Amino acid sequence: MCRITEGLVLDVLKSSGCTNTKSCVVLPVATGMALLTSLLYLRQCNPNGSVVIWPRIDQGTCVKTPQTAGCQLEVVEPLLEGDSLVTDVGRIEELLRHHGDKVLCVMSTTSCFAPRTPDKLVHIAELCKRYNTAHLVNNAYGIQCSRCMGLLNTASLNGRVDLYVQSLDKNFMVPVGGSIVAGFTKEIISSLSQSYPGRGSSAPILDLFITLLSMGREGFFQLLEERNKVYTKLKRKLEEVASVYQERVLETPNNQISLAFTLTPSNYKENCKLTEIGSKLFTRNVTGARVVTCSGSKTVGKITLQKWGSHSNNYPTPYITFAAAVGMTEADVDKLVDKFGQILAKLSCVVSQGNTD
């Protein structure tokens, strides 16, 4: 069953846009532990490597994983281009030169919360090939996005990508607890599989096996097509709400999963905390939305990141993010936007057509 499931998954990866993928393994651990397994495997391949170069993305797992592997984490702050946060490729090259053989890998990211955009994988892959450095990609929920899979494929053809990791629950709507590690040679996946210590539950593999058989190839790709329509509709509906409340949807065209809606503090009543918007959505059964205030900091292990949640030390405006994830329907968009609009009507001090409270 394990071999059959991995064969089905390999077909999904290739059909989703990463046609150069040669092999994969399904692990009975969630994404963070799969990233850790990958890092520990890379340390076996390069015992002298202890530095992980990491383009910043504010997700706790990504900060914890290299430190748990006993590595020094070099954080690369993104650049602000328009509304988008993009990869500082020049800084990555500086760190590759500075640390030399001590670099274990560059750990890049595809799927992410707006206004962060997928890393410039092709440029990073070219640098990793030039400097003979491993490249690990966090593709947590990227299978559902053809842009992410296409980036991975192009990067593997033009440079170096060793391994890429994705979540089962985020891409296939199965229970949390499994992940896929894929690569562009059969040998690297075989070696990584053999390095996995002990045994694990078969439940994640069984869940995925049943789900893929139930959906079928046509059913799964219909879901991906529906997700694209949901993204387009969500962006349009949020723009309509933004025009009423003097806000805007941030322009991040390279992020085809997540959208960010500005929350200008002066547009809300004096006693309103912006995070109240997120909590009110949650109590109305809207999950996944995240308010980012662009303030404060968070320490994870030995790393302190300023303005935690915003992926940057200097993002200019607070915002709330929404994701168009696989399994979401256009009817869900209508419900979400309706509830969001009702909350803004109560908390906003902007007086315009459609908001006279």
Side-chain angles (χ1 to χ4, degrees), residues 269-324:
K269 295 175 181 178
E270 189 174 345
N271 62 348
C272 173
K273 293 182 179 179
L274 295 181
T275 51
E276 189 178 342
I277 297 171
S279 63
K280 286 183 178 296
L281 282 169
F282 185 79
T283 59
R284 288 162 175 78
N285 297 318
V286 176
T287 59
R290 185 174 70 160
V291 172
V292 178
T293 60
C294 296
S295 61
S297 64
K298 183 172 182 177
T299 299
V300 182
K302 296 180 180 179
I303 302 296
T304 299
L305 296 171
Q306 301 299 321
K307 296 189 176 182
W308 172 258
S310 66
H311 317 290
S312 170
N313 287 338
N314 54 10
Y315 202 76
T317 181
Y319 56 87
I320 182 170
T321 63
F322 298 95

Side-chain angles (χ1 to χ4, degrees), residues 178-296:
S179 57
I180 302 162
V181 182
F184 300 95
T185 67
K186 292 182 178 180
E187 291 75 19
I188 192 170
I189 297 301
S190 175
S191 297
L192 180 140
S193 300
Q194 292 171 20
S195 75
Y196 184 86
R199 294 175 290 177
S201 171
S202 63
I205 295 173
L206 181 60
D207 289 337
L208 180 60
F209 178 68
I210 293 171
T211 299
L212 290 175
L213 287 182
S214 175
M215 286 183 183
R217 182 187 180 92
E218 183 177 342
F220 179 71
F221 286 101
Q222 281 180 348
L223 281 175
L224 300 195
E225 183 62 32
E226 175 72 11
R227 193 205 68 80
N228 290 332
K229 294 177 182 178
V230 164
Y231 175 87
T232 301
K233 181 172 183 176
L234 179 60
K235 186 173 190 292
R236 186 182 73 251
K237 299 285 282 187
L238 287 175
E239 287 172 340
E240 291 172 3
V241 175
S243 67
V244 174
Y245 296 100
Q246 297 180 15
E247 301 288 2
R248 64 191 185 91
V249 176
L250 296 172
E251 288 297 328
T252 54
N254 289 327
N255 190 327
Q256 293 291 302
I257 297 177
S258 176
L259 293 161
F261 182 105
T262 61
L263 296 175
T264 307
S266 60
N267 287 348
Y268 300 91
K269 295 175 181 178
E270 189 174 345
N271 62 348
C272 173
K273 293 182 179 179
L274 295 181
T275 51
E276 189 178 342
I277 297 171
S279 63
K280 286 183 178 296
L281 282 169
F282 185 79
T283 59
R284 288 162 175 78
N285 297 318
V286 176
T287 59
R290 185 174 70 160
V291 172
V292 178
T293 60
C294 296
S295 61

Side-chain angles (χ1 to χ4, degrees), residues 82-144:
D83 291 332
S84 299
L85 292 169
V86 303
T87 315
D88 188 345
V89 177
R91 178 58 179 160
I92 292 175
E93 184 165 17
E94 287 177 10
L95 290 169
L96 285 169
R97 288 175 177 170
H98 175 74
H99 289 290
D101 294 340
K102 293 182 180 179
V103 177
L104 176 66
C105 70
V106 178
M107 190 169 79
S108 61
T109 304
T110 55
S111 52
C112 50
F113 292 114
R116 177 73 153 74
T117 58
D119 280 320
K120 296 181 178 179
L121 290 195
V122 178
H123 293 84
I124 295 173
E126 290 171 347
L127 287 177
C128 288
K129 182 177 181 179
R130 188 184 313 159
Y131 289 91
N132 193 27
T133 300
H135 185 190
L136 171 63
V137 182
N138 177 6
N139 188 48
Y141 47 97
I143 294 175
Q144 62 191 277

